[in-house]
Amino acid sequence: PPLRRTTLLEQIVPDSAFGSAAMSLLIVLPVTAALAWLSATKLQSYGWGLFVGLPFFLGLASALIHGARHPRSLSACIGVAAIASLLLAGLLVALAFEGVICILMAAPIALALAVFGGFVGYLIQRRPEGGRDAGAVVSSLVLLLPGLFGAERFAGAGPSLLEVKSSVVVDAPPDRVWEHVVAFTELPPPTELLFRAGVAYPLRAEIDGVGPGAVRHCVFSTGPFVEPIEVWDEPHRLEFSVSAQPPSMREMSPYPLITPPHLEHFLVSRRGRFLLEELPGGRTRLEGTT
C-alpha cells in the first residue's frame, strides 16, 4: 500500500499526551484571543459568534489538535478544552481586553460551551481516520468566525430606544423638591455588592446656569453625565438631553483603566425628564424618566 502522507499538525504536535495538550493550547489560545479582539474591539460585535461560536471553537480545536497524533480519551479532550477556556479568561484579563467581573459573568456559559466543543472534538478524533483532518476543521472555523462576527455587526437591527420611569412620593412641597432635583449634594456611598463590584452609582448633581441652556452635571462614580437643559418649568418640569455620559461600570483589572466597548457604547442614555406633581398635605410625587 502507498505510504500515508503526514499532515502539518502531525508533524508539529508531539507524540506524548502532555506534549500534544501543551501544543494544542499554544496554538489555540493566541488564535482565539485574536478572534475575541476582532469581534469585541474592532467590530464591536457582542453576539452569537462571540458568546457561543468562540467558546465552542476553543473547546473543539483544543480537543482536535490534542488528538491529531493519537486518539485521546473523553476525559482528556474535555480536560484540555476546560483548561483552554480558563487560560483564555486569564489571557483576556492580562491583555486588558476585559475585566474580571465581565469574565466571571461569562465564564459559566463559556465553560459549558467549551466542554461541549471538547466532546464534539473527541467524537471527531475517535473516527477511523483519527485526527488527520483536524487542521482542515480548525482552519475552516478560523475563517468562518470572522464572517459571522461581521454579519452580526452589519446586518443586525439597530438598538431600540426604551423609556424607563420611576416615581417616589416626597414629604415636602414641589418648590423644596425642585432644589434637590436640579442639584443635590454628595450622597453617601452605597453598600450593596453590585455597586462595590464596580457598577456606576450617583454621587452628586451640579448645575451651571438657570433656565433653558443651563447645563446639569450628574456625577457618577465613573464620571459625569452632561445634561443640557431644554425645558425649565420651575417647580413642575425639568427636561434635558444627554450630550456625554460615563462608562456604565469600572471594571476590576490589574490595570488602572480599561475601556471595553460594551462599557461605553452599549447602554446609552439619550434624554431625561423630571415631573413634580403637588399632592395634598404638602407632598410631592416626583417622577423620573430616562
Side-chain angles (χ1 to χ4, degrees):
L3 293 175
R4 184 174 71 85
R5 196 170 70 177
T6 59
T7 65
L8 176 61
L9 272 181
E10 288 177 313
Q11 295 177 34
I12 64 175
V13 172
D15 189 70
S16 69
F18 178 82
S20 64
M23 180 58 70
S24 170
L25 297 175
L26 190 63
I27 294 173
V28 171
L29 286 175
V31 173
T32 310
L35 289 171
W37 171 82
L38 173 65
S39 178
T41 303
K42 300 305 291 184
L43 295 175
Q44 296 187 10
S45 173
Y46 289 84
W48 290 93
L50 180 64
F51 289 110
V52 177
L54 203 61
F56 177 80
F57 162 78
L58 176 66
L60 176 66
S62 300
L64 282 178
I65 297 175
H66 184 34
R69 290 288 297 272
H70 300 287
R72 305 299 178 183
S73 66
L74 176 60
S75 60
C77 290
I78 290 180
V80 75
I83 292 172
S85 63
L86 296 176
L87 290 178
L88 178 65
L91 186 62
L92 293 178
V93 173
L95 295 176
F97 287 175
E98 276 295 349
V100 174
I101 298 299
C102 288
I103 290 294
L104 290 176
M105 290 172 62
I109 297 175
L111 183 59
L113 288 167
V115 167
F116 179 62
F119 172 71
V120 175
Y122 161 77
L123 296 178
I124 293 175
Q125 56 95 50
R126 291 292 295 180
R127 298 174 305 161
E129 56 268 38
R132 283 185 50 78
D133 53 1
V137 174
V138 173
S139 300
S140 299
L141 290 175
V142 170
L143 295 175
L144 176 65
L145 282 170
L148 178 58
F149 299 154
E152 288 185 314
R153 171 66 175 84
F154 296 109
S160 55
L161 186 64
L162 305 175
E163 183 180 71
V164 179
K165 291 185 178 182
S166 60
S167 63
V168 63
V169 175
V170 183
D171 191 15
D175 56 344
R176 288 280 310 281
V177 176
W178 176 269
E179 299 173 5
H180 297 278
V181 166
V182 172
F184 54 85
T185 56
E186 198 80 15
L187 298 174
T191 58
E192 292 86 348
L193 181 61
L194 181 71
F195 299 110
R196 294 176 63 183
V199 174
Y201 55 86
L203 299 176
R204 61 188 178 277
E206 305 162 349
I207 188 81
D208 295 329
V210 176
V215 179
R216 184 175 183 266
H217 294 83
C218 193
V219 182
F220 273 63
S221 56
T222 55
F225 283 83
V226 181
E227 303 165 345
I229 305 300
E230 297 180 349
V231 176
W232 182 292
D233 181 15
E234 184 177 354
H236 306 294
R237 185 185 188 95
L238 184 73
E239 290 192 24
F240 49 86
S241 59
V242 179
S243 61
Q245 70 175 63
S248 54
M249 70 177 295
R250 179 175 288 114
E251 262 286 13
M252 294 176 62
S253 171
Y255 303 96
L257 179 66
I258 62 170
T259 56
H262 64 84
L263 294 187
E264 299 190 10
H265 306 298
F266 285 79
L267 179 62
V268 180
S269 177
R270 298 297 189 194
R271 304 184 57 79
R273 178 178 66 234
F274 289 107
L275 296 177
L276 290 77
E277 177 187 356
E278 186 173 5
L279 299 177
R283 299 177 302 156
T284 302
R285 175 182 289 111
L286 174 63
E287 179 186 271
T289 302
T290 300

